[in-house]
Amino acid sequence: MSDKLIRILGEAKGASPVKGDAAMQYDLRFVKGGCVGRTVLVGENQHIVFGRSRDASIQFQDPMISRHHCELSNSPDGLSVFDLKSWNGTYVNGTRISVPTRLANGDKVAFGKTLFQVQSAPANTDPDRNPKRSFSDGSTRDGWRPDKGWPETRPLAVAKKASANWDPNMIPDFLIEARIGGGAVGTVYRAKDKRSGRSIALKIVDSIYASSPNGIKRFLRAAQICRELRHPNIMQIYEVGDSNGAYYIVMEHIIGKEVGDIIVRYKRIAVGSALQIAMQLCDALQYAFQRSVIHRDIKPKNIMVSRAGVAKLVDFGLAKRKTNGVVPTLTAPGEAVGTLAYMPPEQLDDALNADHRADTYSLGATLYHMVTGHHPFDETSFAEFVTAIMTKMPDSVCSKVASLPPELDAIIFKAMAKDPADRYQTPHQFGSDLLDLAKTLSCEPIVASPYSDTAKMSTPPEVLRAHRDAMKNGSKVSADHAR
C-alpha cells in the first residue's frame, strides 16, 4: 500500500494523550495486508483510531474496513483495543472481540486484510514527545461537556510526517495553510483570503467526484442552497468557484470539533450538553424548513461545536429544496441518500420524496448517539441494519446509560417514529420538548434559545410516554396525540 493509500497519522488527528502516569510504549509491526514491513509507534498515553475515514489516525483504503473501525488505547492501565461497531469486526489472536481487550507483547490484531503484531518498545524520555495538556480532562463518567475541552490539535510524533501534497497557491486569492479535514466530496484546508486577510475554510472538490455524472451539479446546488442560509447555527458559505478545473467553496472557519470526533474520544456527551446542541440544531432546521430546505444527512460528523458549546450544522452536500411541491431530479426515484446509521425509513426507501421530517428522525438518531455513545441500531450486517431501520425501534437510552432521564427516551422515540406522521411535525416542536427537559434537569441554555418563551412542552409528558410505549409495541398513537 502506497503512502497515498495509508496515512500514518499518529502525530495528527486521533492520537491524543490521556490523563495519568506514564505508560509503556509499543511498536505495531504490520505483518499482513498492504502495510507489510511498516512499524508504528504507539506513544505513552495515546489513542489511535484505525479506519477508512480521512479523520482516522491511521487511514486505510480497504472496503473490508469501516470508516472508524477500531481504537487502540495506551493508557497507564496498559495497551487495549476495542471495536467501534465495525461491520466486519476486529480480531485478537483469531477471536472476534466485542468488549475492550487488553493486549500483551506478541498479540496479533487483525481487521480487514490487515494484521499487526504488538511488541513492547523502550519508553521515551523526551518531554516534547508527550506534551502536557493545557486543559482539564473531559473524559468523565457523565460524558463530554464543553468546559472540559478536547484533545490537543498539536500533533504527537509516532511516525514521520508526510510532506504536504498540495500547492499553497493552488486557488488564486487564497493562501492554503493546513489541511483540516475532508470527506467523500473533497478536502478542507485552513486558508487565508489574500484580499481581506480573513481566515477561512477552503473546500476543494476531489477530481473523481467532480467527474461523476451528477457530482458537480449536486455540489453546486448544495453550495447555492447553503450560501442563501444565514443562521448562527449553520456554517456560512462566502464564495463558490472553480480555478483551472478545480471546483472550490469558501466557508466560515469554525474553531471547534466535530461531534463525531468528540464521541469517539470521550465515548459520549453529557446529557445537558447534548440537549443544548440538539436545541441549537432544531433552531437551524426550523430556519431551513421555513425556507423549504432539507439537509438529508444530519449526523455527528456534520455538526461542529465550539469550546463555548455553540453548535453549527455543516455539509449541505445532500441538501435539496422543495419549491411549490417540486423537488430536484438529481436524486432518482427509489434512491437512498444519506448515512445509514441515521437514515429514516422513507429516506432509505425513496430519498427523492422525503421531507423535513426525515431530518427530525436523523437528529433524533444523532441525539441517541450523543447521549449513549451507541448508534440506535447495532446490527452486524447490512441486511439486518436495513431491516432494523424499517421495522424496529431502538433500545431505550436508559438501557444503555441508566442515569439518563426517561423523558429523553420518550422524546427520542417520538423523533424516530417510523411513520413521519407520528414524529414532531416541525423542528420547533422537537426543540420545545428538549428545552422543557433541559429546564427540568437545570440545564440552562448556553446561547439564546428560540424556545425560551415557550410556556409549556410542545407535547404533554403523558402523551410522550404513551407514544414511546406505542412505538415499542409496534402500534400507532391516536390522531389526537399526533402533532
Side-chain angles (χ1 to χ4, degrees):
M1 184 177 293
S2 70
D3 289 339
K4 291 184 178 180
L5 299 183
I6 178 172
R7 301 164 194 254
I8 305 297
L9 296 180
E11 68 171 282
K13 301 177 291 285
S16 307
V18 295
K19 203 172 184 179
D21 299 328
M24 290 185 62
Q25 296 184 151
Y26 296 89
D27 281 333
L28 310 182
R29 300 187 182 277
F30 289 84
V31 295
K32 282 188 179 180
C35 303
V36 170
R38 291 179 180 269
T39 299
V40 173
L41 176 67
V42 184
E44 300 170 2
N45 301 321
Q46 289 183 5
H47 293 273
I48 295 179
V49 175
F50 301 92
R52 288 187 294 108
S53 174
R54 292 187 180 187
D55 58 10
S57 307
I58 298 183
Q59 183 191 3
F60 300 84
Q61 287 192 354
D62 177 351
M64 300 296 290
I65 295 176
S66 297
R67 289 177 57 80
H68 296 101
H69 195 101
C70 61
E71 180 175 342
L72 203 69
S73 174
N74 184 14
S75 72
D77 295 327
L79 187 68
S80 61
V81 63
F82 54 95
D83 189 75
L84 298 175
K85 298 292 184 181
S86 66
W87 287 111
N88 296 307
T90 303
Y91 297 79
V92 175
N93 299 326
T95 301
R96 185 168 182 167
I97 63 173
S98 58
V99 296
T101 302
R102 184 71 60 82
L103 297 175
N105 194 36
D107 281 347
K108 295 180 179 179
V109 179
F111 47 89
K113 300 175 183 178
T114 296
L115 184 147
F116 64 77
Q117 187 171 29
V118 175
Q119 294 188 359
S120 59
N124 181 33
T125 59
D126 182 358
D128 291 332
R129 188 87 175 222
N130 294 290
K132 294 182 179 179
R133 301 173 70 170
S134 60
F135 50 84
S136 59
D137 186 16
S139 184
T140 69
R141 66 176 185 173
D142 295 325
W144 176 86
R145 303 192 307 270
D147 61 291
K148 294 297 182 180
W150 39 60
E152 290 272 14
T153 56
R154 186 157 83 93
L156 296 172
V158 300
K160 184 177 180 181
K161 186 176 181 180
S163 60
N165 58 357
W166 37 264
D167 177 0
N169 296 295
M170 70 171 80
I171 304 296
D173 298 326
F174 301 98
L175 177 64
I176 297 176
E177 298 174 333
R179 182 187 182 278
I180 57 176
V185 174
T187 303
V188 181
Y189 301 93
R190 186 184 73 242
K192 181 169 291 186
D193 189 330
K194 298 177 183 177
R195 299 162 297 184
S196 65
R198 177 173 56 185
S199 180
I200 54 93
L202 182 67
K203 185 171 187 176
I204 300 178
V205 181
D206 286 343
S207 58
I208 295 177
Y209 183 87
S211 63
S212 65
N214 287 326
I216 283 301
K217 290 181 181 179
R218 196 187 294 273
F219 167 78
L220 293 175
R221 183 188 71 186
Q224 184 59 35
I225 290 174
C226 192
R227 192 175 183 180
E228 295 171 4
L229 301 178
R230 291 289 185 271
H231 188 275
N233 298 117
I234 295 176
M235 178 191 66
Q236 187 172 353
I237 299 296
Y238 299 130
E239 182 180 333
V240 180
D242 70 279
S243 175
N244 298 320
Y247 289 87
Y248 65 89
I249 182 169
V250 182
M251 307 174 291
E252 171 187 6
H253 180 215
I254 303 171
I255 301 176
K257 282 286 184 181
E258 292 176 359
V259 167
D261 289 341
I262 296 173
I263 295 173
V264 169
R265 171 63 181 88
Y266 294 104
K267 314 312 174 193
R268 63 189 182 92
I269 296 176
V271 62
S273 299
L275 290 176
Q276 292 167 355
I277 291 170
M279 282 189 287
Q280 293 176 72
L281 267 292
C282 283
D283 191 22
L285 291 178
Q286 179 69 24
Y287 174 88
F289 161 62
Q290 292 170 342
R291 288 153 183 79
S292 302
V293 174
I294 309 165
H295 188 280
R296 299 201 296 178
D297 199 19
I298 306 293
K299 58 183 178 181
K301 185 175 176 59
N302 284 342
I303 304 169
M304 297 283 291
V305 62
S306 71
R307 289 184 183 273
V310 177
K312 296 259 188 181
L313 182 59
V314 304
D315 199 344
F316 279 68
L318 297 180
K320 71 174 183 179
R321 175 187 279 118
K322 282 191 174 184
T323 304
N324 297 325
V326 178
V327 297
T329 58
L330 293 179
T331 303
E335 180 182 358
V337 170
T339 301
L340 188 62
Y342 313 95
M343 195 183 297
E346 71 274 18
Q347 195 166 317
L348 181 66
D349 186 53
D350 188 3
L352 176 63
N353 295 309
D355 62 21
H356 65 279
R357 294 171 295 183
D359 284 348
T360 295
Y361 178 103
S362 298
L363 181 55
T366 296
L367 179 57
Y368 187 105
H369 193 182
M370 285 195 289
V371 297
T372 67
H374 299 274
H375 292 123
F377 303 107
D378 58 1
E379 274 62 21
T380 56
S381 73
F382 178 80
E384 291 173 340
F385 212 109
V386 170
T387 299
I389 292 173
M390 300 299 292
T391 64
K392 296 181 181 179
M393 289 302 292
D395 293 334
S396 163
V397 295
C398 300
S399 70
K400 302 291 186 182
V401 181
S403 61
L404 290 175
E407 296 89 343
L408 178 59
D409 199 37
I411 291 171
I412 290 177
F413 267 57
K414 181 170 183 178
M416 293 185 64
K418 300 301 180 188
D419 188 340
D422 291 331
R423 297 177 200 151
Y424 294 101
Q425 296 304 290
T426 67
H428 188 277
Q429 291 178 354
F430 190 4
S432 295
D433 281 2
L434 292 173
L435 177 67
D436 190 271
L437 178 57
K439 289 179 178 179
T440 300
L441 300 176
S442 299
C443 304
E444 292 299 325
I446 52 178
V447 293
S449 170
Y451 317 111
S452 57
D453 59 352
T454 302
K456 59 181 180 179
M457 289 183 73
S458 171
T459 309
E462 63 274 13
V463 175
L464 280 174
R465 288 192 292 271
H467 187 92
R468 176 192 61 187
D469 295 341
M471 290 297 101
K472 271 296 188 182
N473 295 330
S475 59
K476 296 183 67 171
V477 294
S478 68
D480 291 339
H481 291 162
R483 289 177 178 267

